[in-house]
Structures are given as structure tokens and as C-alpha cells.
Amino acid sequence: MKGCNFQGTKIEERGFGYTMKVLSGKYKMVILYWLEEFGVMRYGEIKRTLGNITHKMLSDTLKELEKDDLIVRKEYPQVPPKVEYRLSERGKTLIPILGEMCDWGEANRI
């Protein structure tokens, strides 16, 4: 594949393996998609767009995306607490890839 590092013998040691590790999970790519679509979203908005997701699953997924520097979490010091999420600059670099996946799906849907 063009631009893929084939050094190392294990998939985890390659660029493809790293990308899959960062994006693996049922909701990660969908969250990135919605953040690209809406720009900034609050926790409750994300939860509503995903439908049947538990609080723990959403919380863990958002923490992983933040840890991998794909999203930015901004907390406002107020009562009740207000937290917003948006794509980081690094997260924005994944959008063309997600777009290609969308195009492929549209062209190859059976």
C-alpha cells in the first residue's frame, strides 16, 4: 500500500496496525464523523446521536479518543457542568480517510 511502513514483523509495529488500534471500537469512527459534521458537541448530544450506548461505553470511548489526541475536551467551570468535545488538529487529519471509506461504501453497497 502506498505510504505504508512495512518495517517490523508484527502488525502492531506497522502504520496500519497503529491506525487500527487508534480507530478500533464500535463508536470511535462514528463519533469522529459526527464531530466533523457538527463541529462542537456536548456529551448528551453525542449520546443521543449514537442511540443505544451506555454511559460507561461513551465515557471510556471519549477518554480514549482524547488520550490519542483525536478530540479535545473543554470543561466549563459552571453548575451544572458543561463539557464540549471537538476534533483536534490531529483528529482532523483522519477526516479524508473517513471520507474515502464513506465513498467506498456508497460505491460498493450491495
Side-chain angles (χ1 to χ4, degrees), residues 40-82:
V40 174
M41 295 179 76
R42 294 181 64 182
Y43 181 91
E45 294 171 321
I46 296 170
K47 190 165 183 354
R48 277 191 299 281
T49 62
L50 295 175
N52 202 18
I53 185 172
T54 66
H55 167 72
K56 179 172 177 20
M57 176 63 80
L58 178 54
S59 180
D60 290 349
T61 301
L62 290 170
K63 286 176 185 173
E64 289 175 19
L65 288 168
E66 185 181 16
K67 180 183 73 70
D68 289 329
D69 191 29
L70 299 180
I71 65 171
V72 174
R73 179 184 188 272
K74 183 172 183 179
E75 187 173 344
Y76 294 89
Q78 65 185 54
V79 177
K82 177 181 173 184

